């Protein structure tokens, strides 16, 4: 609501708060019989313009923007709060009372931040379900779904062939502890550190079959519980790091079919979303399978 240029609402609380905050407000409908006379919402109904659905929307919005909303809805603001501009001080008093602590004798600070600096925090997906569907030995369709999102019972990924991929830094222990593939996050800085962390994961996470680690040459190394290791390289395709890591599920899918390391093709064609990726698989250890 605070980020809105114009609010179009009804006789509800959000519309009233928008008008009280000085946001240009229009009414799409208004149930006057359900509103208490003399209330803040009643003031909205007496003050705001009505949206005319028979007329173009743009000119009506521009007209609302051209009017000084703060002055126009002053009556709404006065009826909404008896202490305008004092919320920070009043709330701080309550917080310190609840903590049973003495309140500072200085004024409550309410710093303002430029809108351009209020950038959204983007949390990368660090846990997902994955499923591989093979067509022969070299072509595979890879599907994935965020594991933090609970789908309806009948919706994907409701399949017995799925497996869980989770970063080692993920805060949900229930996901991390049941992952078939664990991404080493943050990456190890030395070979000895990587070796120790991989061994710890296999020891502490009995369901984990593969650990993924980043290398300095833009590859991803996949280590199996049996000690076998391969490096993955995506050829000639712009792809994100998350897409690159997702390709590890192809190795899991190959082994889950009962196939051997020795028969794993050196090149795989992976269909991932709208991308078709050529994946090179480089064996970096002696097979024990």
């Amino acid at each position: 609501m605070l980020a809105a240029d114009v609010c179009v609402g009804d006789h509800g609380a959000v519309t009233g708060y928008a008008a009280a905050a000085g946001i240009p407000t229009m009414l799409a409908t208004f149930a006057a019989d359900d509103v208490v006379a003399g209330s803040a919402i009643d003031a909205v109904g007496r003050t705001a313009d009505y949206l005319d659905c028979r007329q173009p929307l743009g000119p009506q919005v521009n007209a609302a923007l051209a009017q000084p909303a703060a002055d126009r809805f002053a009556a709404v603001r006065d009826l909404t709060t008896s202490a305008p501009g004092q919320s920070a001080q009043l709330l701080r008093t309550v917080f310190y009372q609840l903590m049973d602590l003495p309140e500072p004798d200085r004024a409550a600070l309410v710093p303002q931040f430029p809108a351009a600096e209020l950038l959204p925090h983007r949390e990368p997906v660090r846990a997902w379900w994955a499923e591989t569907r093979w067509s022969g030995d070299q072509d595979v369709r890879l599907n994935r779904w965020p594991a933090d999102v609970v789908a309806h019972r009948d919706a994907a990924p409701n399949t017995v062939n799925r497996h869980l991929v989770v970063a080692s830094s993920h805060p949900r222990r229930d996901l991390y502890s049941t992952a078939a593939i664990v991404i080493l996050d943050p990456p190890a800085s030395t070979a000895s550190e990587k070796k120790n962390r991989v061994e710890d994961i296999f020891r502490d996470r009995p369901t984990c079959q593969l650990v993924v680690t980043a290398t300095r040459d833009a590859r991803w190394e996949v280590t199996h519980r049996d000690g076998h290791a391969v490096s993955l390289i995506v050829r000639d395709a712009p792809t994100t790091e998350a897409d690159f890591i997702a390709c590890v599920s192809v190795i899991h899918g190959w082994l889950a079919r009962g196939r051997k390391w020795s028969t794993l093709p050196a090149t795989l064609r992976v269909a991932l979303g709208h991308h078709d990726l050529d994946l090179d698989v480089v064996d970096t250890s002696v097979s024990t399978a």
Side-chain angles (χ1 to χ4, degrees):
M1 181 189 72
L2 293 177
D5 295 316
V6 174
C7 174
V8 180
D10 55 13
H11 59 290
V14 173
T15 310
Y17 285 131
I23 297 172
T25 302
M26 304 178 67
L27 294 172
T29 183
F30 193 83
D33 293 340
D34 296 336
V35 175
V36 176
S39 65
I41 300 300
D42 180 50
V44 174
R46 290 185 280 104
T47 309
D49 290 331
Y50 280 76
L51 183 70
D52 188 346
C53 296
R54 297 167 298 181
Q55 301 297 324
L57 177 62
Q60 298 182 73
V61 171
N62 291 333
L65 288 169
Q67 301 180 37
D71 295 336
R72 183 176 189 183
F73 296 111
V76 180
R77 181 183 67 246
D78 294 342
L79 289 168
T80 300
T81 175
S82 59
Q86 301 179 46
S87 62
Q89 186 66 51
L90 295 174
L91 288 172
R92 189 183 71 172
T93 298
V94 173
F95 295 155
Y96 273 87
Q97 289 174 348
L98 291 173
M99 294 186 295
D100 195 22
L101 292 173
E103 185 179 2
D105 56 5
R106 57 186 177 274
L109 298 178
V110 188
Q112 296 184 355
F113 297 92
E117 295 181 6
L118 301 180
L119 301 177
H121 175 69
R122 298 187 181 277
E123 177 69 18
V125 177
R126 291 185 291 166
W128 60 86
W129 293 103
E131 172 196 48
T132 54
R133 297 185 180 184
W134 293 81
S135 299
D137 286 345
Q138 286 189 290
D139 295 280
V140 55
R141 158 65 64 177
L142 176 57
N143 300 316
R144 53 183 172 166
W145 306 266
D148 285 317
V149 178
V150 180
H152 292 291
R153 180 174 299 178
D154 296 331
N158 188 18
T159 169
V160 296
N161 296 321
R162 67 181 182 178
H163 59 273
L164 191 57
V165 185
V166 181
S168 60
S169 59
H170 199 284
R172 282 184 55 181
R173 295 175 60 87
D174 60 318
L175 292 178
Y176 176 40
S177 61
T178 57
I181 301 175
V182 171
I183 306 162
L184 205 62
D185 183 40
S189 57
T190 64
S192 60
E193 178 194 351
K194 174 188 135 182
K195 179 177 180 296
N196 292 335
R197 289 174 63 185
V198 170
E199 290 176 350
D200 290 345
I201 290 173
F202 284 136
R203 183 190 66 241
D204 298 337
R205 312 294 173 185
T207 62
C208 177
Q209 297 300 309
L210 298 169
V211 176
V212 189
T213 57
T215 63
R216 293 183 178 179
D217 53 357
R219 301 184 181 192
W220 290 90
E221 186 170 275
V222 184
T223 303
H224 191 270
R225 177 175 287 276
D226 66 9
H228 205 102
V230 295
S231 290
L232 303 183
I233 308 169
V234 175
R235 286 192 283 122
D236 302 328
T239 181
T240 65
E241 181 177 283
D243 291 343
F244 205 158
I245 298 175
C247 290
V248 177
S249 290
V250 174
I251 306 300
H252 181 278
W254 178 266
L255 298 174
R257 298 168 69 207
R259 310 303 293 269
K260 302 295 184 181
W261 285 107
S262 57
T263 60
L264 180 64
T267 301
L268 296 168
R269 287 182 290 272
V270 183
L272 179 61
H274 299 293
H275 301 291
D276 292 325
L277 309 176
D278 289 324
L279 181 68
D280 288 340
V281 183
V282 180
D283 195 335
T284 56
S285 66
V286 177
S287 174
T288 59

